Amino acid sequence: MRSKVYFYKNLDELKSGTNKFIEMISKELGEDNIGLKIHFGEGNNDTHIDPELLKDVTKYFNNPKFVECNVLYKGTRTRKSDHIETAKKHGFGFLEIDILDGELGEEAVEVPINTPNTKFAKLGKGLEKYGKLIALTHFKGHGMSGFGGAIKNVGMGLGSRGGKLDMHSSLSPQVNRQTCIACKVCIENCPADAIKLVENKAGVNQDKCIGCAMCIAVCPTGAISSVPHESKRLMEKVVEYTLAATKNKEWWYINFLTNITYLCDCKGGKQKPFMKDIGILMSKDPVAIDKASIDLVIKYNEGNEPFENKHGVEGSYILDYAEELGLGTQDYELIEIE
Ligand code: SF4
Ligand code: SF4
């Protein structure tokens, strides 16, 4: 059966479009005990979802909460206390912020799913409190998965520290010494201090590496890569974690196709969007909404898929695998709303 994906494209009235979607969802979910899964952006990132678009959410829900888990790497969202501080600095302090996996990502619940790579998904423990959730996702590029959409936001985002380690353990970046120009950009951007110059070429300490793929994304010469099967394995695990996070819960998804950048919001500091804004999508199906999102990016980018060349990763694999595991369908109907 085709899934419905709703599309709002009046860029001058994005807040009104967001409110329309939230109102539609509130009629399905009711008003109470709603978790809003969001990514607040790493320190000084300013291309994350604009918090102003979400300010009316309390008109539709009673005491909704932003929910999120800590990240693996050293940064402004590694500890719960810093994470909340960063969220507030980025303008999200108007709602309660519930970091689900404790101060350092140590509080986990194991959800049995019995999928090819994951028997038990280790999710942020606090997720147990929520039965009804909305994934608010900034759709953009991603070094590990080509692009990052709703599936990535939920699956990777809700992993506890142990869960994120499980997913990232699939990646071990390799440096091509022929094309490395020793510019040190990877060293400056590695959140785990896992890279140093060895005989004037970058070298990765695999014991320290947490598999975040930031080095792959930022290298100007494409000298760092992962082997394709590693990226695929990581995408499979993200899908499996999404299955676990959505199990026995009611989820809706809103994707913001605004400030579309090559890299994800985990990259601290400023990034420049490479194309014009497109609008906002809403669906009950995470696969359909991500498929519609990448289709629209291609359409508005003169027919070109922008992320595959940039990151050397075939992002569509995550959709194929998610469909195979029954998370949703890529067969969707796009419904424009005014
Ligand atoms: S960013 Fe790329 S070119 Fe620069 S030092 Fe690292 S691997 Fe070498
Ligand atoms: S993937 Fe690259 S940037 Fe990330 S921790 Fe490993 S070496 Fe550092």
PDB file of all heavy atoms in Angstrom, residues 1-2 4 13 24-25 27-28 34 42 82 102 142 145 168 185 197 204 207 214 233 251 264 298 306 320:
ATOM      1  N   MET A   1       0.833  -1.200   0.000  1.00  0.00           N
ATOM      2  CA  MET A   1       0.000   0.000   0.000  1.00  0.00           C
ATOM      3  C   MET A   1       0.883   1.272   0.000  1.00  0.00           C
ATOM      4  O   MET A   1       1.897   1.300   0.684  1.00  0.00           O
ATOM      5  CB  MET A   1      -0.885   0.002   1.237  1.00  0.00           C
ATOM      6  CG  MET A   1      -2.121   0.850   1.066  1.00  0.00           C
ATOM      7  SD  MET A   1      -3.246   0.657   2.468  1.00  0.00           S
ATOM      8  CE  MET A   1      -2.502   1.702   3.680  1.00  0.00           C
ATOM      9  N   ARG A   2       0.485   2.276  -0.752  1.00  0.00           N
ATOM     10  CA  ARG A   2       1.271   3.507  -0.818  1.00  0.00           C
ATOM     11  C   ARG A   2       1.124   4.302   0.483  1.00  0.00           C
ATOM     12  O   ARG A   2       0.029   4.353   1.060  1.00  0.00           O
ATOM     13  CB  ARG A   2       0.785   4.382  -1.975  1.00  0.00           C
ATOM     14  CG  ARG A   2       0.920   3.726  -3.312  1.00  0.00           C
ATOM     15  CD  ARG A   2       0.451   4.656  -4.395  1.00  0.00           C
ATOM     16  NE  ARG A   2       1.572   5.426  -4.914  1.00  0.00           N
ATOM     17  CZ  ARG A   2       1.441   6.458  -5.739  1.00  0.00           C
ATOM     18  NH1 ARG A   2       0.256   6.873  -6.096  1.00  0.00           N
ATOM     19  NH2 ARG A   2       2.503   7.076  -6.204  1.00  0.00           N
ATOM     20  N   LYS A   4       1.204   7.898   2.521  1.00  0.00           N
ATOM     21  CA  LYS A   4       0.959   9.322   2.261  1.00  0.00           C
ATOM     22  C   LYS A   4       2.110  10.165   2.843  1.00  0.00           C
ATOM     23  O   LYS A   4       2.498   9.972   3.999  1.00  0.00           O
ATOM     24  CB  LYS A   4      -0.346   9.773   2.917  1.00  0.00           C
ATOM     25  CG  LYS A   4      -1.605   9.209   2.263  1.00  0.00           C
ATOM     26  CD  LYS A   4      -2.833   9.874   2.902  1.00  0.00           C
ATOM     27  CE  LYS A   4      -4.109   9.539   2.169  1.00  0.00           C
ATOM     28  NZ  LYS A   4      -4.542   8.160   2.307  1.00  0.00           N
ATOM     29  N   GLU A  13       6.041  30.999   4.796  1.00  0.00           N
ATOM     30  CA  GLU A  13       5.117  30.717   5.898  1.00  0.00           C
ATOM     31  C   GLU A  13       5.436  29.356   6.540  1.00  0.00           C
ATOM     32  O   GLU A  13       4.536  28.568   6.828  1.00  0.00           O
ATOM     33  CB  GLU A  13       3.664  30.705   5.384  1.00  0.00           C
ATOM     34  CG  GLU A  13       3.192  31.997   4.772  1.00  0.00           C
ATOM     35  CD  GLU A  13       2.922  33.078   5.816  1.00  0.00           C
ATOM     36  OE1 GLU A  13       2.843  32.733   7.015  1.00  0.00           O
ATOM     37  OE2 GLU A  13       2.834  34.246   5.434  1.00  0.00           O
ATOM     38  N   MET A  24      -2.428  18.361  12.637  1.00  0.00           N
ATOM     39  CA  MET A  24      -2.910  17.098  12.050  1.00  0.00           C
ATOM     40  C   MET A  24      -2.468  15.908  12.913  1.00  0.00           C
ATOM     41  O   MET A  24      -3.230  14.989  13.195  1.00  0.00           O
ATOM     42  CB  MET A  24      -2.353  16.924  10.622  1.00  0.00           C
ATOM     43  CG  MET A  24      -3.030  17.811   9.578  1.00  0.00           C
ATOM     44  SD  MET A  24      -2.080  17.910   8.034  1.00  0.00           S
ATOM     45  CE  MET A  24      -2.471  16.345   7.282  1.00  0.00           C
ATOM     46  N   ILE A  25      -1.214  15.950  13.348  1.00  0.00           N
ATOM     47  CA  ILE A  25      -0.692  14.839  14.155  1.00  0.00           C
ATOM     48  C   ILE A  25      -1.387  14.792  15.514  1.00  0.00           C
ATOM     49  O   ILE A  25      -1.724  13.715  16.027  1.00  0.00           O
ATOM     50  CB  ILE A  25       0.846  14.972  14.327  1.00  0.00           C
ATOM     51  CG1 ILE A  25       1.548  14.813  12.980  1.00  0.00           C
ATOM     52  CG2 ILE A  25       1.353  13.922  15.315  1.00  0.00           C
ATOM     53  CD1 ILE A  25       3.043  15.109  13.010  1.00  0.00           C
ATOM     54  N   LYS A  27      -4.336  15.432  16.262  1.00  0.00           N
ATOM     55  CA  LYS A  27      -5.661  14.791  16.162  1.00  0.00           C
ATOM     56  C   LYS A  27      -5.530  13.269  16.191  1.00  0.00           C
ATOM     57  O   LYS A  27      -6.452  12.563  16.579  1.00  0.00           O
ATOM     58  CB  LYS A  27      -6.357  15.241  14.872  1.00  0.00           C
ATOM     59  CG  LYS A  27      -6.839  16.676  14.987  1.00  0.00           C
ATOM     60  CD  LYS A  27      -7.569  17.156  13.775  1.00  0.00           C
ATOM     61  CE  LYS A  27      -7.998  18.603  14.007  1.00  0.00           C
ATOM     62  NZ  LYS A  27      -8.071  19.373  12.791  1.00  0.00           N
ATOM     63  N   GLU A  28      -4.380  12.762  15.777  1.00  0.00           N
ATOM     64  CA  GLU A  28      -4.149  11.305  15.794  1.00  0.00           C
ATOM     65  C   GLU A  28      -3.605  10.840  17.142  1.00  0.00           C
ATOM     66  O   GLU A  28      -3.970   9.788  17.647  1.00  0.00           O
ATOM     67  CB  GLU A  28      -3.135  10.923  14.701  1.00  0.00           C
ATOM     68  CG  GLU A  28      -3.551  11.281  13.286  1.00  0.00           C
ATOM     69  CD  GLU A  28      -4.673  10.403  12.771  1.00  0.00           C
ATOM     70  OE1 GLU A  28      -4.762   9.246  13.214  1.00  0.00           O
ATOM     71  OE2 GLU A  28      -5.483  10.877  11.953  1.00  0.00           O
ATOM     72  N   ILE A  34       3.688  13.476  24.988  1.00  0.00           N
ATOM     73  CA  ILE A  34       4.290  13.481  23.653  1.00  0.00           C
ATOM     74  C   ILE A  34       5.786  13.788  23.758  1.00  0.00           C
ATOM     75  O   ILE A  34       6.188  14.766  24.396  1.00  0.00           O
ATOM     76  CB  ILE A  34       3.640  14.569  22.758  1.00  0.00           C
ATOM     77  CG1 ILE A  34       2.125  14.360  22.661  1.00  0.00           C
ATOM     78  CG2 ILE A  34       4.297  14.609  21.373  1.00  0.00           C
ATOM     79  CD1 ILE A  34       1.677  13.176  21.880  1.00  0.00           C
ATOM     80  N   GLU A  42      25.304  20.538  17.056  1.00  0.00           N
ATOM     81  CA  GLU A  42      26.524  20.634  17.874  1.00  0.00           C
ATOM     82  C   GLU A  42      26.834  22.124  18.085  1.00  0.00           C
ATOM     83  O   GLU A  42      26.306  22.984  17.363  1.00  0.00           O
ATOM     84  CB  GLU A  42      27.666  19.893  17.149  1.00  0.00           C
ATOM     85  CG  GLU A  42      28.978  19.797  17.888  1.00  0.00           C
ATOM     86  CD  GLU A  42      28.861  19.158  19.280  1.00  0.00           C
ATOM     87  OE1 GLU A  42      27.950  18.368  19.512  1.00  0.00           O
ATOM     88  OE2 GLU A  42      29.691  19.498  20.144  1.00  0.00           O
ATOM     89  N   ASP A  82      25.784  19.566  29.630  1.00  0.00           N
ATOM     90  CA  ASP A  82      26.262  20.405  28.512  1.00  0.00           C
ATOM     91  C   ASP A  82      25.265  20.370  27.355  1.00  0.00           C
ATOM     92  O   ASP A  82      25.060  21.363  26.655  1.00  0.00           O
ATOM     93  CB  ASP A  82      27.608  19.888  27.981  1.00  0.00           C
ATOM     94  CG  ASP A  82      28.701  19.976  29.019  1.00  0.00           C
ATOM     95  OD1 ASP A  82      28.533  20.744  29.983  1.00  0.00           O
ATOM     96  OD2 ASP A  82      29.713  19.264  28.884  1.00  0.00           O
ATOM     97  N   GLY A 102      20.883   9.466  30.495  1.00  0.00           N
ATOM     98  CA  GLY A 102      21.696   9.795  31.672  1.00  0.00           C
ATOM     99  C   GLY A 102      22.789  10.811  31.384  1.00  0.00           C
ATOM    100  O   GLY A 102      22.913  11.330  30.278  1.00  0.00           O
ATOM    101  N   HIS A 142      25.183  13.329   5.028  1.00  0.00           N
ATOM    102  CA  HIS A 142      25.843  12.682   6.166  1.00  0.00           C
ATOM    103  C   HIS A 142      26.987  11.809   5.659  1.00  0.00           C
ATOM    104  O   HIS A 142      26.809  11.039   4.723  1.00  0.00           O
ATOM    105  CB  HIS A 142      24.838  11.832   6.952  1.00  0.00           C
ATOM    106  CG  HIS A 142      25.328  11.555   8.335  1.00  0.00           C
ATOM    107  ND1 HIS A 142      26.306  10.631   8.590  1.00  0.00           N
ATOM    108  CD2 HIS A 142      25.005  12.113   9.523  1.00  0.00           C
ATOM    109  CE1 HIS A 142      26.558  10.634   9.885  1.00  0.00           C
ATOM    110  NE2 HIS A 142      25.788  11.522  10.478  1.00  0.00           N
ATOM    111  N   SER A 145      26.192   7.859   5.934  1.00  0.00           N
ATOM    112  CA  SER A 145      25.012   7.264   5.314  1.00  0.00           C
ATOM    113  C   SER A 145      24.550   8.042   4.087  1.00  0.00           C
ATOM    114  O   SER A 145      23.435   7.833   3.623  1.00  0.00           O
ATOM    115  CB  SER A 145      23.879   7.193   6.351  1.00  0.00           C
ATOM    116  OG  SER A 145      23.679   8.462   6.943  1.00  0.00           O
ATOM    117  N   HIS A 168      28.444   2.395  15.381  1.00  0.00           N
ATOM    118  CA  HIS A 168      29.647   2.980  14.780  1.00  0.00           C
ATOM    119  C   HIS A 168      30.782   1.985  14.632  1.00  0.00           C
ATOM    120  O   HIS A 168      31.715   2.213  13.865  1.00  0.00           O
ATOM    121  CB  HIS A 168      30.139   4.162  15.627  1.00  0.00           C
ATOM    122  CG  HIS A 168      29.335   5.410  15.435  1.00  0.00           C
ATOM    123  ND1 HIS A 168      28.323   5.758  16.283  1.00  0.00           N
ATOM    124  CD2 HIS A 168      29.378   6.371  14.516  1.00  0.00           C
ATOM    125  CE1 HIS A 168      27.781   6.892  15.880  1.00  0.00           C
ATOM    126  NE2 HIS A 168      28.408   7.286  14.804  1.00  0.00           N
ATOM    127  N   VAL A 185      43.154  18.877   8.130  1.00  0.00           N
ATOM    128  CA  VAL A 185      41.732  19.192   8.349  1.00  0.00           C
ATOM    129  C   VAL A 185      41.055  18.057   9.116  1.00  0.00           C
ATOM    130  O   VAL A 185      40.230  18.273  10.011  1.00  0.00           O
ATOM    131  CB  VAL A 185      41.020  19.453   6.999  1.00  0.00           C
ATOM    132  CG1 VAL A 185      39.509  19.535   7.180  1.00  0.00           C
ATOM    133  CG2 VAL A 185      41.546  20.741   6.389  1.00  0.00           C
ATOM    134  N   LEU A 197      49.572  13.058  12.176  1.00  0.00           N
ATOM    135  CA  LEU A 197      50.420  12.893  10.994  1.00  0.00           C
ATOM    136  C   LEU A 197      51.533  11.908  11.320  1.00  0.00           C
ATOM    137  O   LEU A 197      52.203  12.013  12.351  1.00  0.00           O
ATOM    138  CB  LEU A 197      51.021  14.229  10.562  1.00  0.00           C
ATOM    139  CG  LEU A 197      50.077  15.252   9.912  1.00  0.00           C
ATOM    140  CD1 LEU A 197      50.868  16.440   9.378  1.00  0.00           C
ATOM    141  CD2 LEU A 197      49.235  14.645   8.796  1.00  0.00           C
ATOM    142  N   VAL A 204      45.246   6.947  11.116  1.00  0.00           N
ATOM    143  CA  VAL A 204      44.134   6.791  12.064  1.00  0.00           C
ATOM    144  C   VAL A 204      44.471   5.720  13.098  1.00  0.00           C
ATOM    145  O   VAL A 204      44.868   4.610  12.747  1.00  0.00           O
ATOM    146  CB  VAL A 204      42.839   6.386  11.314  1.00  0.00           C
ATOM    147  CG1 VAL A 204      41.697   6.158  12.313  1.00  0.00           C
ATOM    148  CG2 VAL A 204      42.452   7.442  10.290  1.00  0.00           C
ATOM    149  N   ASP A 207      42.117   2.157  17.486  1.00  0.00           N
ATOM    150  CA  ASP A 207      41.666   1.898  18.864  1.00  0.00           C
ATOM    151  C   ASP A 207      40.926   3.105  19.447  1.00  0.00           C
ATOM    152  O   ASP A 207      40.015   2.958  20.257  1.00  0.00           O
ATOM    153  CB  ASP A 207      42.860   1.571  19.778  1.00  0.00           C
ATOM    154  CG  ASP A 207      43.465   0.221  19.408  1.00  0.00           C
ATOM    155  OD1 ASP A 207      42.730  -0.601  18.832  1.00  0.00           O
ATOM    156  OD2 ASP A 207      44.664   0.024  19.673  1.00  0.00           O
ATOM    157  N   MET A 214      33.508  11.750  10.491  1.00  0.00           N
ATOM    158  CA  MET A 214      33.703  13.170  10.233  1.00  0.00           C
ATOM    159  C   MET A 214      34.930  13.400   9.342  1.00  0.00           C
ATOM    160  O   MET A 214      34.923  14.243   8.450  1.00  0.00           O
ATOM    161  CB  MET A 214      33.850  13.928  11.564  1.00  0.00           C
ATOM    162  CG  MET A 214      33.748  15.426  11.432  1.00  0.00           C
ATOM    163  SD  MET A 214      32.212  15.953  10.650  1.00  0.00           S
ATOM    164  CE  MET A 214      31.076  15.921  12.021  1.00  0.00           C
ATOM    165  N   ARG A 233      26.881  -1.817   6.467  1.00  0.00           N
ATOM    166  CA  ARG A 233      26.612  -2.461   7.750  1.00  0.00           C
ATOM    167  C   ARG A 233      26.112  -1.425   8.758  1.00  0.00           C
ATOM    168  O   ARG A 233      25.173  -1.670   9.513  1.00  0.00           O
ATOM    169  CB  ARG A 233      27.909  -3.135   8.255  1.00  0.00           C
ATOM    170  CG  ARG A 233      27.771  -3.909   9.553  1.00  0.00           C
ATOM    171  CD  ARG A 233      26.776  -5.058   9.459  1.00  0.00           C
ATOM    172  NE  ARG A 233      27.062  -5.942   8.359  1.00  0.00           N
ATOM    173  CZ  ARG A 233      27.938  -6.943   8.364  1.00  0.00           C
ATOM    174  NH1 ARG A 233      28.611  -7.194   9.444  1.00  0.00           N
ATOM    175  NH2 ARG A 233      28.115  -7.697   7.307  1.00  0.00           N
ATOM    176  N   TRP A 251       4.514   6.607  16.203  1.00  0.00           N
ATOM    177  CA  TRP A 251       5.433   7.649  15.746  1.00  0.00           C
ATOM    178  C   TRP A 251       4.869   8.379  14.534  1.00  0.00           C
ATOM    179  O   TRP A 251       4.258   7.759  13.658  1.00  0.00           O
ATOM    180  CB  TRP A 251       6.768   7.028  15.305  1.00  0.00           C
ATOM    181  CG  TRP A 251       7.761   6.751  16.387  1.00  0.00           C
ATOM    182  CD1 TRP A 251       7.826   5.644  17.178  1.00  0.00           C
ATOM    183  CD2 TRP A 251       8.857   7.591  16.781  1.00  0.00           C
ATOM    184  NE1 TRP A 251       8.890   5.730  18.039  1.00  0.00           N
ATOM    185  CE2 TRP A 251       9.544   6.918  17.817  1.00  0.00           C
ATOM    186  CE3 TRP A 251       9.326   8.841  16.365  1.00  0.00           C
ATOM    187  CZ2 TRP A 251      10.673   7.459  18.438  1.00  0.00           C
ATOM    188  CZ3 TRP A 251      10.444   9.371  16.975  1.00  0.00           C
ATOM    189  CH2 TRP A 251      11.108   8.688  18.009  1.00  0.00           C
ATOM    190  N   CYS A 264      26.278  16.793   8.480  1.00  0.00           N
ATOM    191  CA  CYS A 264      25.167  16.774   9.431  1.00  0.00           C
ATOM    192  C   CYS A 264      25.362  17.843  10.507  1.00  0.00           C
ATOM    193  O   CYS A 264      26.392  18.506  10.584  1.00  0.00           O
ATOM    194  CB  CYS A 264      25.034  15.387  10.048  1.00  0.00           C
ATOM    195  SG  CYS A 264      26.224  15.040  11.314  1.00  0.00           S
ATOM    196  N   ILE A 298      16.804  15.810  -5.085  1.00  0.00           N
ATOM    197  CA  ILE A 298      17.304  15.558  -6.450  1.00  0.00           C
ATOM    198  C   ILE A 298      16.568  16.458  -7.446  1.00  0.00           C
ATOM    199  O   ILE A 298      17.179  17.119  -8.296  1.00  0.00           O
ATOM    200  CB  ILE A 298      17.133  14.063  -6.818  1.00  0.00           C
ATOM    201  CG1 ILE A 298      18.069  13.211  -5.949  1.00  0.00           C
ATOM    202  CG2 ILE A 298      17.399  13.818  -8.302  1.00  0.00           C
ATOM    203  CD1 ILE A 298      17.824  11.705  -6.024  1.00  0.00           C
ATOM    204  N   PRO A 306      23.051  14.934  -4.738  1.00  0.00           N
ATOM    205  CA  PRO A 306      24.255  15.682  -4.345  1.00  0.00           C
ATOM    206  C   PRO A 306      25.171  14.977  -3.345  1.00  0.00           C
ATOM    207  O   PRO A 306      26.343  15.328  -3.222  1.00  0.00           O
ATOM    208  CB  PRO A 306      23.669  16.940  -3.699  1.00  0.00           C
ATOM    209  CG  PRO A 306      22.332  16.516  -3.189  1.00  0.00           C
ATOM    210  CD  PRO A 306      21.833  15.452  -4.112  1.00  0.00           C
ATOM    211  N   ASP A 320      16.373   0.919   1.018  1.00  0.00           N
ATOM    212  CA  ASP A 320      16.136  -0.456   0.545  1.00  0.00           C
ATOM    213  C   ASP A 320      16.110  -1.427   1.730  1.00  0.00           C
ATOM    214  O   ASP A 320      15.242  -2.296   1.826  1.00  0.00           O
ATOM    215  CB  ASP A 320      17.245  -0.892  -0.429  1.00  0.00           C
ATOM    216  CG  ASP A 320      17.248  -0.061  -1.703  1.00  0.00           C
ATOM    217  OD1 ASP A 320      16.204   0.553  -2.000  1.00  0.00           O
ATOM    218  OD2 ASP A 320      18.284  -0.023  -2.389  1.00  0.00           O
TER     219      ASP A 320
END
